[in-house]
Amino acid sequence: MTPHESLRLTLHTSALAGMDTRPKNLLRALAYQAEDEGPHAESLAEETDFRAVLSTAHATHQLVELWRKRLTQWDYAENPSWATAPARTEERRAEVLNLLALSEDTRKLLNSLIPVPKEAGPVVISDEFTPWYTPQSQQGRSWYWPAYRRLLSEKGWSETAVAGLDTATDRVVERLADPASPTAYQAKGLVVGHVQSGKTANFTGVIAKAMDAGYRLVIVLGGTLNLLRAQTQRRLDMELVGRENILRGAAEYESDYADDPAWSKGKFLAHGGLPSALGGFDIVRMTTRNDDYKSLLQGIVALEFEKQEPALDLFDPRNLHRSSARLMVVKKNKTVLAKLVKDLNKIKTPLNQIPVLIIDDESDEASVNTAGPDRPNAERTAINDKISELLGILPRAQYVGYTATPFANVFIDPSDAKDIFPKDFIVSLPRPSGYMGVRDFHDLDSPIPPAERTFANSNEKAHVRDILLTSEDDTAALQQALDMFVLTAAMKLYREENGLGERHFQHHTMLIHESVRTADHRELHGKVSQLWWNSGFTGPRGHERLRALFDSDVAPVSRVRAEGFSVPSTYDELSPYVGTAAIRIGGDDQPIIVVNGDSDLKTGGDADFDKRPIWKILIGGQKLARGFTVEGLTVTYYRRRANNASTLMQMGRWFGFRNGYRDLVRLYLGRDEGKQGVDLLEAFEAICRDEETFRDQLDLYSTMVDGKPQVTPAQVPPLVSQHLSWLKPASANKMYNTRLVEIHSPGKWEEPTAYPSRPSDLGHNSDLWLPVLDSLSPHPLTFAYRDESTGRELAFPALVGRLDADAFLRLIRSLRWDVPERFGPHLTYLEEITASSPAKVDDWLILAPQHSAGTRHFSPTGSSRRFSWFGRQRRRGDAFGAISEPKHRAAPLRIAGALPFGGNATTEEHVGDRRGVVTVYPVVQPEDRPEVEATGTIAPGRLVMAFTFVAPASARSADGKVVRFVTIDSGGDFQDDRAR
């Protein structure tokens, strides 16, 4: 950097530093800073100089990076006094640039180099709360949040990621009670993340901000295993507590992290001195990496809170902000929690004066009360009882649960005041940038026909490999997974030498998960060991296998998905790294680590990723599931079944961040497991749909109406019960005090899936729909919609007809359903838009998609016409999976006014202001397909007449509310009618 460039950067840095509170006139700020630098700085304070640099700069130019950081902070600022536009919008950016008083040409250059971030923010379902956590209220008090924010930036977090975390943690902290309020209030909330997606970073940020605000006792419930508790303790010590609070005057070698490489490399946060000596406050650790909470042998004084003004309460700001905070990371164990409760009851500081924050990591495990509520005098389960006891003795305690699988938490009885139901808020975190989640292993709603899918356009083809065994002795799939593990290890070494640098990949792991039983792990260890040592990776036989796998799998996937990382052109270019890879994994004669409670089985050491690089195969069950991060996980071999969605989802250790090797990730999944022949790929796909539906509904209902929430957390359970079909609606309803009765869905694709199975009901529905089919056009029209974002045209032929609004309403009122309550909220809405004055729907366009070729056609009884049928299978109970095909959705959405102009004349011809669209699917189930294919006919009692609908996009309620509930009293009667 030249002196000229250095001076320019100094001027802009100083000018922007003076804009902490708001954007200000840039040229004035630059001119003011230039006065101290002398006449030679004057030209660098001109806008023409700034514009000239921007016109030739690239996105990583130092001046651009400086401006990116500041612009991002302004873009993300929530409800600042200087702006009226929402955060992360073009309008907010325009307000910022107006305040900076920049010319139009400079604005265009800045926006081109630093686009407005469009990342989704957190979704919040919340009861009303009293605002107290504002920038003004925290001015001059923040210590740990700025330090944590600085550390994340130094770790390489992008400014948008840090700003997003800032926003998400604000949404949590502002809904806690004011720690300095004279009136005690106990808030309870839930934060929903994704599996292995950064929930720990969020609650670390929440703890930092809560401590800065005045919370003085923080209790983190860190899982049910010592492994998980220690992992959480280290993370908080490293990124929040800091070196000085850990040492507290002791020598470096006395630290409990003296043997941790990150400690000696200076990766633990450093404050530059004990915070209390620098104007902040200290954190006193009540637990360490190696020690869970223990009864305080040295006396209870360690839990006593000092008061600078003895006559005042601890929560008085004059005491609160001058006292140290206490932090403990506690395992969810009845004995440990009982010790904590006992010690708290002994201290002299009145418990009703201590602002407490309880963070419950993996809150749906162990914390939820699973004792049957119908049993007389039922006692709470052990952990739930102790958490309830903690909340009972600490009136100022705030409870925040964290999980990626929230269903158990939202099914807790809301009326149980002693339980942990998130009565005050539910925050759904956005999917982070760079995260590899469930959707990245599936082709959900892909418009690309299966026959046209490739490694480039299909996630399943790129990352998922089938396990289909001829017998339990069949090791072909396991051998291929081991080969893939060695090949991907060689690929990582190749990338290190071709751009990433030595030891870039600290960890490289393979996970084998078949069972929770330690005896099975022992047997599997023997099988995998034998395969490993007989693989001959460096011999001719091994190279032959690896070459074939490289040519057929690794190379073609990486060539289209490597995202700029190095890919060898041939196996011969990669082969020199294979031997080194095999040695890195098994050179100590211990290629396998078994992670379970079997201490007699000696394998390749502990799976402690903090203390050493690990290139190993991991075999395990429960300990390798919930909460445990398997670093460097690249190949997974998974066959374990589970009987509920939460358990199965938490087994997905292959989710997470895979920077530099995303293209190398492979998931070997059982496709025919157990006596029932469970297809695990299909199971994960179903869970993914359920989870995304839940998140989409939270997003839909999070919009405030007239400044008030549409739904409160207590009303979320009915939304879940509509979509998790393995949870019986009857038993779920006993736990709820509300029932969902109406869903407004203007311009939304709605797809009922729970059709009846009794022949009499199917025949009844067929008799209603077949006259409609007969009335459709004799020949199909081609409907299409061009998606500008992908450039693909989604087209399909369909027979066309029309029903007026009253006729369609009569038809759907007469239909029979497997569970009528599932369609009931939609029917109520359709009745409302039909009967309103003026009506919000005039008519419904009926589309019956037709196959362009093939034999899947049938003639209904009594009709000479032929129609296409669709093969679908009931997947969960009586409910089908997806009924529609992705290519069928865009045109109906356009016709109903939910999408902009799509360029197809036929589609545009049918667009109407108050027109809805119904797409009809005659469905044939697997057991009936042979007969239909042979005869071209099917009995009405065997035909499932499925349909989807899109109501007119204009058919909105006058008040903007999208759901309505009725409240039920404890006797099960309706108490009142509450619209939301």
Side-chain angles (χ1 to χ4, degrees), residues 402-417:
Y402 278 77
T403 184
T405 47
F407 305 125
N409 294 86
V410 297
F411 280 126
I412 296 168
D413 184 356
S415 64
D416 186 350

Side-chain angles (χ1 to χ4, degrees), residues 166-243:
D166 193 1
T167 298
T169 49
D170 274 355
R171 297 295 79 79
V172 176
V173 177
E174 69 187 4
R175 286 168 170 77
L176 307 179
D178 182 352
S181 172
T183 305
Y185 179 76
Q186 200 167 77
K188 297 175 184 175
L190 179 68
V191 179
V192 183
H194 296 74
V195 175
Q196 298 201 134
S197 68
K199 296 187 298 297
T200 306
N202 186 278
F203 72 65
T204 303
V206 166
I207 293 171
K209 290 183 175 182
M211 284 183 168
D212 286 343
Y215 281 91
R216 285 299 174 259
L217 175 59
V218 176
I219 302 168
V220 180
L221 304 177
T224 59
L225 303 171
N226 289 325
L227 194 67
L228 301 182
R229 193 212 69 81
Q231 192 179 72
T232 303
Q233 178 82 52
R234 179 184 182 273
R235 181 83 173 269
L236 289 172
D237 284 346
M238 184 178 187
E239 300 184 348
L240 175 72
V241 177
R243 300 177 76 91

Side-chain angles (χ1 to χ4, degrees), residues 769-778 860-867:
W769 277 110
L770 290 177
V772 177
L773 286 182
D774 262 341
S775 71
L776 298 181
S777 60
T861 303
S863 173
S864 60
R865 298 193 60 181
R866 293 177 63 75
F867 303 96

